[in-house]
Amino acid sequence: MAEPVRVVVYEKGQESRAVWAVPGQTVWDVLASGGWETGGYCGGRGTCGKCQVKVTGDVSAPAVDEADLLDARGVSSEYRLACRCR
């Protein structure tokens, strides 16, 4: 079994908080398990683009459809959809 990884969440105007995640888990699931509102109305299917998060570190590469959605919204490459990023 893979070792858990520490994820630090920085929220504007708040102190950072750390949560633990299983490698391969989506950022959406990590945030939800930590009590954060994940946003979006598509239920994590990656179609609405409302769960954008800024990420750093070792994360999965964006799939073509995710990159296309973010590009269409004018979002820079440091942003990802929480429901698609692992």
Side-chain angles (χ1 to χ4, degrees):
M1 184 170 173
E3 290 291 316
V5 293
R6 186 171 183 254
V7 176
V8 180
V9 178
Y10 298 92
E11 202 171 358
K12 194 176 205 170
Q14 306 267 337
E15 245 184 75
S16 63
R17 283 185 16 204
V19 292
W20 291 94
V22 176
Q25 191 175 16
T26 65
V27 173
W28 172 287
D29 289 335
V30 172
L31 293 174
S33 70
W36 283 280
E37 174 61 41
T38 52
Y41 56 82
C42 71
R45 290 187 302 275
T47 57
C48 73
K50 301 288 186 187
C51 64
Q52 295 169 16
V53 292
K54 185 176 181 179
V55 296
T56 60
D58 188 18
V59 296
S60 61
V64 172
D65 58 340
E66 177 188 5
D68 288 346
L69 180 62
L70 291 171
D71 288 344
R73 295 178 64 87
V75 179
S76 69
S77 62
E78 62 192 1
Y79 286 84
R80 298 286 305 278
L81 296 181
C83 65
R84 302 295 298 274
C85 183
R86 296 181 184 281

